[in-house]
Amino acid sequence: HYGFSPLDQQIAVFRTHIAAARATGLPLIVHTRGADEVTADILEEEMGKGAFPLLMHCYTSGEGLARRALKIGAYFSFSGIMTFKNAHD
């Protein structure tokens, strides 16, 4: 979100975490911000390579990402962000 690291490095690390979740059976806990399309695209692509437990923990977007994650079997948590005054979506 803040751009402190290059996007290609963030994607590579994200894929490494997905591989670890797949290998260990431990959940991938996703906290994403301002990257709905790329996040959903990667999750769908990686789920196609082999299932892994997925928890959508925190994201600041609308329902589009949630619907895509739900289709691939994600679980959801509801973090404190939903109590923010501007959290209408």
Side-chain angles (χ1 to χ4, degrees):
H1 175 72
Y2 297 110
F4 293 148
S5 60
L7 181 60
D8 61 330
Q9 289 180 4
Q10 292 181 46
I11 289 171
V13 170
F14 189 41
R15 289 185 189 275
T16 299
H17 281 266
I18 292 169
R22 189 181 293 117
T24 63
L26 295 171
L28 177 75
I29 299 172
V30 175
H31 183 130
T32 187
R33 189 168 169 188
D36 287 9
E37 289 298 315
V38 70
T39 299
D41 289 347
I42 291 169
L43 290 172
E44 289 168 348
E45 178 186 331
E46 290 290 336
M47 195 62 79
K49 295 177 185 177
F52 54 91
L54 172 60
L55 174 66
M56 297 301 294
H57 166 65
C58 188
Y59 55 98
T60 57
S61 55
E63 68 182 71
L65 177 58
R67 288 187 183 280
R68 288 178 72 180
L70 187 61
K71 285 182 182 178
I72 59 172
Y75 290 91
F76 294 84
S77 66
F78 298 96
S79 66
I81 202 165
M82 69 185 290
T83 66
F84 292 2
K85 291 179 183 178
N86 63 348
H88 303 288
D89 288 346

